[in-house]
């Protein structure tokens, strides 16, 4: 009897394992394709942007991105990473409070960025900086839904869908950057596409998942616990961000580089 049960169990588990392996393999293949496609798209866009924009445009955008990232500490208050950590089984239960916490956190960060934008622009003597950093702040709440649903795709091991959406987001960002640069928008050709890409990710992810996060309960009493659990994820994210963008927050504002040199760097 036990032997028959073991044989039945083995026959059941093997196809399930094979199906999971095939799904992950399919997803990994799409991740490779997406990585290559994104690098090609970015390279083409950088050639065009380097031709149409001035070094100062890149400098303004780099400083604005660095400032926005430091103020934010971590987009979505670390909820994207926390939901992945908690796993597939708990996503539905936690997605409501995690989304609303992330959304209002991003709104608060966008408000702070808006408050400091003009004084920083005055300090840097770059009037366009204020609008650029403000637009980057706006992109954060716009992209909250897409960011949280990205965690769902990862928890569901739906790497193929996540990769396809990622390519679409990058395509929206790079093509809009090129179009705006050709139209003469200067540094805004780098900032506005962040909002466009965030809106695209939110719409496409919602349609693909059929999940309307804004209809789920906020359960604000759980927010302190979620923030307590995500604090190290947030600081780890800030550390990784600082490696790439930290120098831009310091070099030009401290007078170590001119705007042109900062843009070239």
């Amino acid at each position: 009897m036990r032997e028959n049960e073991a044989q039945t169990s083995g026959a059941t588990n093997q196809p399930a394992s094979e199906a999971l392996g095939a799904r992950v393999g399919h997803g990994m293949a799409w991740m490779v394709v997406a990585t290559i496609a994104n690098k090609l798209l970015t390279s083409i866009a950088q050639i065009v942007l380097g031709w149409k924009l001035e070094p100062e445009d890149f400098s303004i955008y780099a400083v604005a991105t660095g400032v926005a990232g430091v103020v934010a500490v971590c987009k979505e208050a670390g909820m994207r990473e926390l939901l992945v950590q908690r796993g597939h089984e708990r996503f539905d239960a936690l997605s409501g409070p995690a989304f609303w916490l992330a959304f209002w956190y991003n709104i608060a960060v966008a408000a702070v960025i808006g408050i400091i934008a003009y004084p920083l622009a005055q300090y840097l003597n770059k009037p366009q900086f204020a609008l650029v950093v403000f637009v980057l702040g706006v992109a954060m709440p716009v992209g909250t839904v897409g960011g949280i649903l990205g965690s769902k795709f990862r928890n569901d091991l739906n790497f193929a869908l996540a990769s396809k959406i990622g390519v679409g987001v990058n395509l929206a960002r790079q093509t809009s950057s090129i179009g705006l640069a050709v139209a003469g928008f200067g540094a805004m050709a780098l900032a506005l596409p962040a909002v466009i890409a965030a809106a695209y990710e939110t719409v496409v992810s919602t349609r693909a998942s059929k999940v309307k996060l804004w209809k789920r309960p906020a359960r604000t009493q759980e927010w302190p616990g979620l923030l307590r659990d995500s604090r190290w994820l947030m600081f780890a994210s800030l550390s990784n961000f600082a490696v790439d963008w930290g120098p831009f927050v310091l070099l030009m504002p401290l007078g170590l580089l001119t705007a042109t040199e900062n843009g070239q760097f």
Side-chain angles (χ1 to χ4, degrees), residues 18-65:
E18 290 176 356
L20 179 61
R23 184 177 184 183
V24 172
H26 177 68
M28 293 299 293
W30 264 103
M31 289 176 69
V32 172
V33 171
T35 300
I36 295 172
N38 285 333
K39 288 186 179 296
L40 286 174
L41 285 170
T42 302
S43 298
I44 292 169
Q46 287 299 306
I47 292 171
V48 177
L49 294 175
W51 173 44
K52 298 300 296 184
L53 299 181
E54 299 295 329
E56 283 200 17
D57 296 326
F58 287 99
S59 180
I60 290 171
Y61 173 73
V63 176
T65 300

Side-chain angles (χ1 to χ4, degrees), residues 24 52 77 86 100 126 135 192 255:
V24 172
K52 298 300 296 184
R86 294 294 174 84
W100 283 111
K126 299 291 179 187
V135 168
L192 279 172

